[in-house]
Amino acid sequence: MTAFVTSLGGKLAERWLQALLLPGMVFVGAVAVAGRLGHGRWSDVDMLAATVDQLGESAARRGNGAVALLAVAVVTGAVAAAALAQGLGQTVTYAWTATWGPVGRPFVRRRRRRWWRVVTRYEQALIEKALILRGVRPADPPPEVPDTAALAAARDRISMVEPRLPTWMGDRMHAVDERVRIAYDLDLASVWPRLWLTVPDEVRGALARAQAEFAAAGRLAGWGGLYLLLGLRWWPAAVVGAGVWAVGWWRGRMSMGNLAQLVEATVDLHASALAGALGHPVDGRFTPDDGEVVTRILRKGT
């Protein structure tokens, strides 16, 4: 047990060092560079080198105490920056999946218009394809069969269901709720906490990793936001911040897509086990009738 706890503590310390402290120290260094150079002398490497030499000589003259104090200041600043980035990351992940209130309504309307345009084209292409394949519309030369798969993919890139939220990430998880309701008549909000307790450990592990990846993407975007703010003093930091934010956003999309697929797959594969645990054994395929019973049990008549 002692060896296990020691190993676990070492892994946690290593992850904390990699995920928070090292990026924080890099940011503290960027703050120092920005404070010294500013916009006017943003690329003055000679001035920066001279400043570092002066700092080293000053610390050497004052002894080990000054060096230790400087190290403590750097580490403290790095920890503070990491905590701020983590807080910003939580705000970012919330914004990626929130409704945004009245502010989000124009975005939702715009996304709905785009979605319905693609859905209309997709449905028309399905009809055209069916008529061609049945030979109802013979022609010379034969008409080209519409690429319905490409249109379906274009629709899903906007949203898998009619958009309800201003962002793709929010609608991606909303689509899981909607698809589960349509396929099984299950209320995912009521089902999920109980389903989580019934699935095997490897399933919970995969879901937890996907959730951690999404949180890490938000934290990366939070670092991007800090560098964007620093760009007010030193413009190269804004370039770095924009790039970091873009990477964080892209990773957020990827991790949200993965998380949504895992949640839906968990419902598909383990809904019957949950029904059995609630005293409603399922013989064969889980149907909407079974889902209605499970939802009624979990809602407790409300």
Side-chain angles (χ1 to χ4, degrees), residues 44-57:
D44 195 339
V45 179
D46 294 335
M47 180 181 176
L48 186 61
T51 302
V52 173
D53 292 339
Q54 292 174 5
L55 182 62
E57 292 173 0

Side-chain angles (χ1 to χ4, degrees), residues 187-195 295 298-299:
D187 177 23
L188 187 59
S190 302
V191 166
W192 186 252
R194 286 82 171 181
L195 187 62
T295 298
L298 296 181
R299 286 183 173 176

Side-chain angles (χ1 to χ4, degrees), residues 122-175:
Y122 173 66
E123 291 176 349
Q124 291 174 349
L126 285 177
I127 296 173
E128 184 71 18
K129 184 176 181 179
L131 293 176
I132 292 173
L133 294 179
R134 292 176 182 177
V136 177
R137 292 188 177 176
D140 189 20
E144 183 178 355
V145 178
D147 189 353
T148 54
L151 290 172
R155 176 202 59 194
D156 293 343
R157 281 195 296 269
I158 301 172
S159 179
M160 298 186 73
V161 296
E162 183 179 2
R164 292 287 186 274
L165 296 169
T167 65
W168 180 91
M169 295 185 216
D171 268 328
R172 184 63 186 89
M173 189 55 71
H174 164 71

Side-chain angles (χ1 to χ4, degrees), residues 227-247:
Y227 278 98
L228 285 171
L229 289 175
L230 187 59
L232 297 175
R233 170 65 183 174
W234 186 51
W235 71 262
V239 177
V240 174
V244 172
W245 172 273
V247 173

Side-chain angles (χ1 to χ4, degrees), residues 34 51 116 119 130 142 153 225 256 272 275 299:
T51 302
W116 276 113
V119 167
M256 174 55 75
S272 296
R299 286 183 173 176

